[in-house]
């Protein structure tokens, strides 16, 4: 079974085969790995690779999965190779486009700093969202023009809600 | 007036901490919970639990009348306010007194004399405790703020009069920042303490934050339990605290302790309190404020002195004398506390509410986990982000540091992002080992600290692909029967896969 | 000869304990595991882990050659044997030495002089340490046993020469019981230690078990860390241990400590060791045996002295001097340990292997959980039943007792039966509070201890019926899609129900 | 929905109804209960009953379930009332009969003390099963005659295996 794993913009082709003894044979790029892997608890994996013991936590985070191992965190997208080829030939990028500002977490809009038509430069405060008793400023990632403001101060929003559309 | 049943007017780890102390003293406990907290750990651990209102604290944990009503109805004879919320609100202390409830904390009068920073600064001045120059009273308007700032010179610090934990604090580098700083400081202060009053003082550059723990009984006995250093902060929120301070020697400890006790006596203070100081590069200490309550970081003092601070609070509130003097207080070894918050330090410190799907707390020798959460718990978005406090003790600071590194490496939280990876990097940083501490520590070392390096990337890829691979295999399996499915729900999951 | 990488020749909580100490010392760790232990906690916590054979210990954890082979192949330069298994086997110590591996424990010679109980009794006699009358050497045959028993008078106690933890011990009340007692004692000794030799001594009636912890470095420095009382036992298996002993005052501690150090010096003992004594009703102490290894109950000594015994073992093995003397050893407060075993004390103490489907360990102030298990772990049936050790510290024995009651009430293990309910009842028993202790304690109080009373029966019925009710409702729900099912597997369970 | 809960030989008829607000109304015998119950983790339930907070662990143990609450343990059998009536009218007793000795846990037979035809009295050792490095003696609960011995020393057995049949 072949997959494409994308981490940090880098794509890796990974071939997996389960062995009779519950171990796995993986080929990542041109390197082969013999892995003894167990799911010891929900989302917590014990991996023995060439005698080295790793504990890796794997959780889904919209589309990608987050892997914590050895105190490091990696955001990795894994797709079956065939699906990956089809999708990339199609050319549509995964996830939301950079043109819309979405709520990164549920909370309450405490202040909106722009209105539609405003020209903003990178780093300008667009709005402030209050969650868990902290005011979190959301700033423009790049220069642009505000096309539409979908929320107003005092409004409660859920993670992923579109807040502002930029042009 | 012994205490038989106590209402805990708080939530999270501190509510659990108080419940544990009560259980050990044979005191029955009453928990209160908002609509967001029905499944919180403190509700499960208390003997009784009652709903007090909607999720926002202003509609539940801050509603004095409702708390008094529940205390009365449940037959409680005492109330512990924890920290934050109403813990330093003299009106709450008075309401308890009027209702015939023992308030586990200082009397309202002492709270007024010390709990308000401005009043405390007045008293400290009278008692000859050195202070950072600034306004003694709350600022009346923006003009006054600008005027005073010009007099004492920028940078200046805005602080909430009722403040604690850095809420409502703002550093103002120049006059142009003053208006916005005042607005947000007042807003934050209002939300956190129900009082928008703020004051202003000169900002000491790269100070160290050192505080003295004080215990005072109702019979005039006052002792100090030495200091805690809490210099590692972000936006005035403490991240890591330790006892003793690597900076403080016995002579300095004695001087700071005496100043703190002098202040407590002058205010007729009773119960546990903390006197905070700023210490400059020349080891001069300046009075900062008094926290007229239990501190988040109280455990590091407990581990080193062997004194159970919540137990002492309960004994003092019940009118018992301390029963020991300053000479009986001894310090052994070193303790460090790390605050584990549901924030992603590598994604702009965004709060990370959600369900904790996996949890393995650190444990073993001299590791203490003061937690408010459990596996399966959903962290609500309405309250502060602290999940747990990880405390370690060691024979010396080096041993405690090594132990904290070990414990942070063990501590596994799956499902929500936490500050653990950042804390691990801080504790491993050479400046931490060398105790090169100041409130600017974090800003200074953050550039050396990276979200991750590639050393485990291959392992991560393998884990991610195997998860996806098994995911696919599972999906291909025949469906379990109704019984199978519901038994799994009922008996606990098959963590199968290679079983 | 500093230690860079250490192989832990053990499993369970003690392997985890050693790995933690190594991590704190910057020593890399190598775990070994049998076919039954691939998913054990020590395998996950170590830096490296290697399979060493089939599930039965005789085919894995007791195979000296295999352990040496793994140590060599992994580049380890030291071996820690933990307790039990090969920890007191001089042939293992020698095999390590021959392979150029530092053995973290006493030299083989000292082991032979003390590790074998019969040899130790000979030495103790020479050193003028008082002893219970009995045979000095291993029994040659049944006739010899019967003869000696007649001489010293019944009741007598059979003990394994290589013994520890009560394995291979039998009380013989009359001659008719001798044959069966010898058979089973030898069988148990053979299985546990690979040596069937047993000896015999007069049984002291209702003795208290008090032992002295000793530390000796390679330079002739020997100190004792005071005593532990381990009188609460079942079939010579310790259940609850504490430090200090309520029976022992400073003068008695000094006398026992000096006797223990004298013995250690005479045997040229190096590293951590324990000298066990029986104490009779008149507070006379009799030498019992030496445990030439780390004890299960070492944590209570650690909590009271502040000395990390495993760290000291590693330092001593690396050739470092102790660096402190007897006068530097101080005792603060009191500590208690409870052994949490997978046994059902209310069903004939039957072992209860199985999967731990839910686990909430006790935590919070001065609570230490030394555990070898985790939620989702399946307890294998091949090894001893100990899951974890729960240790608490308090300013005095009363505070420690109250804390242990609190901690045992918190400790939740779902899926396997444990000794927790019994431990909770013992710690709550008036005889425990009054320290009316002896090795007959458990037999004496068991009649007062009941599996349960009816006080929570109504609540239990409600919980059981609601579980069945929701079980039925779930079964009636439409099946989740493939994706739903596998996502649940992947993301962690929906603990839904009212979510 | 009506159930029969059996604990300590005592039968209790329990009527359950779920409420809109996620609470439950139960009638046990002639007493009514208003219960706020949550499954906070696998097998761990939080119950609020008249303001009293209970944490109850419920696990299946062949047929019955074991409930741990307040440091007490209760073995409870729960059946739908209708099923209970049908079964009891049928008269078949639940669980295994006292005539057969079954292995209480997996292990290895270390010794068989009787052979078929032997007459035994209550308390006599029948056999010894070794598990988790402990020898567990199984004794006769009452006097009787050994009809059949199904195992021999050295043999491995699983929990529930019939070891000896008594008459």
């Amino acid at each position: 079974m072949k997959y494409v794993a994308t981490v940090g913009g880098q794509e890796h082709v990974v071939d997996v085969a389960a062995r009779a003894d519950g171990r796995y044979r993986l080929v990542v790029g041109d390197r082969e790995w013999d892995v003894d892997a167990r799911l010891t608890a929900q989302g917590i994996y014990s991996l023995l690779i060439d005698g080295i013991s790793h504990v890796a936590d794997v959780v889904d985070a919209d589309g990608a999965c987050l892997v914590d191992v050895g105190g490091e965190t990696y955001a990795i997208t894994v797709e079956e190779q065939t699906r990956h080829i089809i999708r990339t030939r199609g050319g549509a990028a995964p996830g939301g486009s950079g043109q819309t500002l979405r709520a990164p977490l549920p909370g309450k809009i405490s202040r909106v700093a722009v209105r539609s038509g405003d020209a903003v430069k990178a780093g300008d405060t667009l709005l402030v969202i209050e969650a868990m008793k902290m005011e979190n400023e959301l700033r423009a990632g790049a220069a642009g023009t505000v096309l539409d403001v979908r929320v107003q101060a005092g409004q409660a929003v859920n993670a992923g809600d579109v807040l502002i559309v930029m042009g | 007036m012994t205490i038989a049943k106590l209402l805990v007017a708080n939530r999270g780890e501190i509510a659990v901490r108080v419940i544990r102390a009560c259980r050990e003293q044979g005191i029955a406990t009453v928990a209160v919970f908002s609509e967001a907290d029905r499944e919180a750990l403190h509700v499960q651990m208390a003997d009784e639990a009652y709903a007090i209102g909607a999720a926002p604290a202003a509609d539940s944990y801050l509603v004095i009348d409702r708390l008094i009503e529940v205390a009365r109805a449940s037959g409680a004879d005492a109330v512990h306010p924890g920290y934050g919320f109403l813990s330093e609100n003299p009106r709450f202390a008075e309401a308890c007194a009027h209702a015939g409830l023992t308030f586990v904390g200082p009397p309202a009068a002492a709270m007024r004399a010390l709990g308000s920073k401005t009043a405390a600064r007045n008293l400290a001045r009278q008692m000859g405790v050195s202070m950072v120059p600034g306004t003694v009273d709350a600022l009346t308007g923006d003009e006054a703020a600008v005027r005073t700032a010009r007099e004492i010179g920028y940078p200046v610090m805005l602080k909430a009069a009722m403040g604690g934990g850095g809420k409502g604090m703002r550093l103002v580098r120049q006059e142009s920042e003053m208006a916005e700083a005042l607005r947000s400081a007042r807003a934050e202060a209002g939300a956190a303490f129900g009082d928008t009053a703020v004051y202003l003082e000169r900002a000491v550059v790269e100070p160290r934050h050192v505080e003295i723990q004080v215990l005072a009984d109702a019979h005039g006995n006052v002792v100090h339990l030495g200091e805690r250093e809490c210099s590692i902060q972000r936006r005035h929120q403490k991240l890591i605290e330790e006892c003793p301070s690597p900076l403080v020697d016995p002579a300095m400890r004695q001087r700071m302790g005496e100043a703190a006790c002098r202040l407590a006596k002058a205010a007729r203070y009773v119960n546990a309190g903390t006197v905070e100081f700023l210490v400059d590069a020349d080891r001069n200490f300046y009075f900062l404020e008094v926290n007229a309550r239990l501190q988040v970081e109280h455990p590091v003092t407990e581990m080193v002195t062997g004194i159970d601070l919540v137990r002492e609070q309960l004994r003092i509130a019940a009118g018992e004398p301390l029963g020991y003097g300053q000479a009986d207080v001894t310090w052994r070894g070193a303790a460090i506390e790390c605050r584990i918050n549901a924030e992603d330090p590598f994604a702009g410190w965004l709060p990370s509410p959600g369900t904790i799907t996996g949890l393995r707390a650190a444990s073993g020798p001299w590791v203490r986990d003061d937690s408010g959460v459990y596996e399966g718990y959903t962290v609500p978005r309405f309250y502060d982000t602290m999940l747990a406090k990880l405390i370690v003790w060691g024979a010396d600071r080096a041993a405690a540091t090594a132990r904290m590194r070990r414990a942070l490496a063990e501590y596994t939280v799956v499902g929500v992002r936490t500050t653990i990876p950042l804390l691990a990097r801080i504790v491993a940083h050479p400046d931490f080992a060398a105790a090169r501490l100041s409130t600017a520590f974090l800003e200074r070392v953050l550039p050396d600290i990276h979200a991750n390096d590639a050393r485990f990337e291959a392992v991560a890829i393998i884990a991610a692909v195997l998860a996806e691979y098994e995911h696919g295999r599972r999906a291909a399996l025949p469906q379990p029967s109704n019984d199978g499915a519901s038994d799994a729900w009922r008996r606990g999951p098959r963590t199968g896969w290679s079983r």
Side-chain angles (χ1 to χ4, degrees), chain A, chain B:
Chain A
M1 192 81 177
K2 286 199 169 187
Y3 296 87
V4 176
T6 310
V7 51
Q10 273 262 327
E11 292 187 355
H12 307 265
V13 175
V14 184
D15 190 359
V16 191
R19 291 192 161 147
D21 58 359
R23 302 167 72 93
Y24 300 82
R25 182 185 151 285
L26 290 92
V27 180
V28 183
D30 52 7
R31 175 154 177 205
E32 179 169 342
W33 304 78
D34 175 36
V35 180
D36 178 348
R38 313 291 179 107
L39 179 65
T40 60
Q42 290 300 333
I44 303 179
Y45 302 76
S46 167
L47 305 173
L48 291 185
I49 305 175
D50 301 331
I52 309 300
S53 177
H54 304 276
V55 174
D57 314 332
V58 181
V59 286
D60 285 358
D62 45 292
C65 62
L66 286 176
V67 182
D68 284 347
V69 55
E72 309 291 348
T73 305
Y74 304 88
I76 303 179
T77 326
V78 180
E79 280 183 303
E80 270 181 48
Q81 190 178 35
T82 49
R83 192 178 303 163
H84 177 79
I85 290 162
I86 295 160
R87 186 177 57 72
T88 46
R89 198 192 290 115
S97 111
Q99 300 298 78
T100 60
L101 175 69
R102 291 172 182 278
L105 73 165
K108 195 158 124 295
I109 303 298
S110 54
R111 201 158 57 89
V112 178
V114 295
R115 70 173 80 88
S116 63
D118 288 3
V120 296
K121 54 186 192 320
D124 286 359
T125 300
L126 299 177
L127 53 72
V128 180
I129 180 168
E130 196 238 322
M132 297 173 100
K133 293 175 80 177
M134 285 198 277
E135 296 206 330
N136 308 284
E137 285 199 345
L138 302 186
R139 301 166 175 282
T145 310
V146 178
L147 296 185
D148 186 13
V149 179
R150 300 275 178 88
V151 294
Q152 57 198 26
Q155 180 177 340
V157 295
N158 293 319
D161 288 357
V162 174
L163 308 175
I164 288 174
V165 181
M166 304 283 299
Chain B
M1 65 185 169
T2 65
I3 298 172
K5 185 189 274 193
L6 179 142
L7 180 140
V8 184
N10 215 304
R11 64 179 302 283
E13 70 83 22
I14 193 60
V16 171
R17 170 71 181 95
V18 171
I19 289 165
R20 282 172 165 155
C22 288
R23 186 141 296 164
E24 293 171 5
Q25 298 305 299
I27 298 170
T29 52
V30 179
V32 293
F33 61 93
S34 75
E35 282 169 9
D37 275 344
R38 165 60 185 91
E39 297 184 9
L41 189 57
H42 72 286
V43 172
Q44 297 181 47
M45 289 188 67
D47 297 310
E48 303 175 36
Y50 300 94
I52 52 166
D59 302 330
S60 48
Y61 298 105
L62 292 173
V63 182
I64 292 177
D65 295 350
R66 182 70 184 120
L67 293 165
I68 300 293
E69 180 190 332
V70 170
R72 276 217 179 99
S74 62
D77 50 22
V79 173
H80 195 301
Y83 50 69
F85 290 142
L86 294 168
S87 58
E88 295 184 279
N89 184 325
R91 295 192 304 282
F92 185 49
E94 281 160 351
C96 290
H98 293 151
L101 298 162
T102 301
F103 180 80
V104 182
M111 250 187 223
R112 290 211 167 82
L114 288 176
S116 146
K117 294 186 186 178
T118 47
R121 287 165 61 82
N122 273 317
L123 188 64
R125 170 164 305 174
Q126 295 160 31
M127 302 307 301
V129 178
S130 63
M131 277 187 303
V132 179
T135 59
V136 175
D137 302 309
L139 295 164
T140 49
D142 292 19
E143 306 69 21
V146 171
R147 208 180 315 109
T148 325
R150 283 187 185 154
E151 287 162 24
I152 64 177
Y154 287 94
V156 298
M157 191 72 74
L158 289 178
K159 297 185 175 180
M162 301 305 303
K167 294 259 161 48
M169 282 180 74
R170 289 292 183 277
L171 177 66
V172 188
R173 291 187 190 72
Q174 61 213 37
E175 197 161 308
S176 64
E177 301 175 346
M178 182 63 82
E180 169 64 10
L182 278 168
R183 188 200 65 77
S184 60
R186 287 184 171 130
E188 216 170 86
F193 314 108
D195 182 338
T196 62
V198 298
Y199 70 99
L200 179 154
E201 65 183 28
R202 184 194 295 155
V204 179
V205 183
E206 299 214 5
R208 295 172 74 139
H209 177 114
V210 179
E211 59 188 29
I212 298 289
Q213 176 68 55
V214 170
L215 281 178
D217 67 19
H219 312 282
N221 306 305
V222 182
V223 300
H224 72 85
L225 304 190
E227 80 285 1
R228 294 181 288 259
E229 175 154 10
C230 319
S231 296
I232 299 182
Q233 311 179 349
R234 174 180 175 267
R235 293 198 191 157
H236 314 293
Q237 292 276 7
K238 297 163 184 170
L239 288 183
I240 301 178
E241 303 100 344
E242 58 186 295
C243 171
S245 163
L247 180 77
V248 174
D249 58 25
M252 187 175 175
R253 179 171 303 123
Q254 194 184 347
R255 289 207 317 283
M256 295 180 79
E258 279 166 359
C261 292
R262 207 159 64 235
L263 206 53
K265 283 206 179 88
R268 296 197 162 58
Y269 194 86
V270 177
N271 215 286
T274 296
V275 183
E276 296 191 333
F277 297 92
L278 287 182
V279 180
D280 67 18
D282 308 321
R283 302 173 77 239
N284 304 307
F285 55 90
Y286 304 100
F287 170 72
L288 195 56
E289 64 183 71
V290 171
N291 294 133
R293 52 163 168 87
L294 190 66
Q295 296 277 87
V296 173
E297 58 271 23
H298 74 275
V300 292
T301 297
E302 292 183 321
M303 300 317 285
V304 171
T305 61
I307 294 172
D308 181 334
L309 281 166
V310 180
R311 181 185 187 212
E312 295 305 287
Q313 284 193 294
L314 295 168
R315 285 182 54 239
I316 290 166
E320 293 180 35
L322 278 180
Y324 49 86
Q326 191 61 58
D328 302 313
V329 179
T330 58
W331 294 270
R332 177 195 263 185
I336 303 173
E337 170 180 283
C338 282
R339 299 191 187 188
I340 297 176
N341 299 341
E343 299 167 28
D344 187 344
F346 301 121
W349 300 81
L350 273 181
S352 173
T355 299
I356 295 171
T357 55
L359 179 63
R360 283 189 201 165
S363 61
W366 293 288
V367 171
R368 168 176 170 179
D369 180 40
D370 276 22
S371 173
V373 304
Y374 56 88
E375 183 168 307
Y377 176 68
T378 298
V379 182
R381 66 180 177 86
F382 300 96
Y383 313 107
D384 69 50
T385 59
M386 193 164 74
L387 302 178
K389 302 181 312 198
L390 176 61
I391 304 103
V392 302
W393 179 91
D396 54 32
R397 189 174 187 268
T401 303
R403 185 156 288 136
M404 181 57 85
R405 290 179 64 166
R406 185 269 289 177
L408 285 167
E410 272 180 32
Y411 213 115
T412 305
V413 181
V414 185
V416 302
R417 311 308 301 166
T418 74
T419 45
I420 290 171
L422 179 86
L423 294 164
R425 287 162 170 77
I426 291 174
V427 174
H429 194 283
D431 281 10
F432 184 84
R436 281 191 289 272
L437 305 177
S438 88
T439 55
F441 176 94
L442 194 62
E443 279 171 60
R444 189 177 73 240
V445 304
L446 272 179
D448 316 347
I449 288 175
H450 306 294
N452 65 22
D453 60 28
R455 63 203 170 111
F456 294 118
E457 189 176 274
V459 178
I461 290 170
I462 288 167
V465 170
L466 285 177
E468 183 64 29
Y469 176 71
E470 285 297 329
H471 171 58
R473 282 169 112 194
R474 286 292 169 116
L477 292 177
Q479 280 307 295
S481 73
N482 279 358
D483 256 55
S486 38
D487 280 359
W489 162 81
R490 195 168 167 210
R491 291 215 184 95
R494 295 290 310 122
T495 50
W497 198 35
S498 303
R499 283 269 166 79

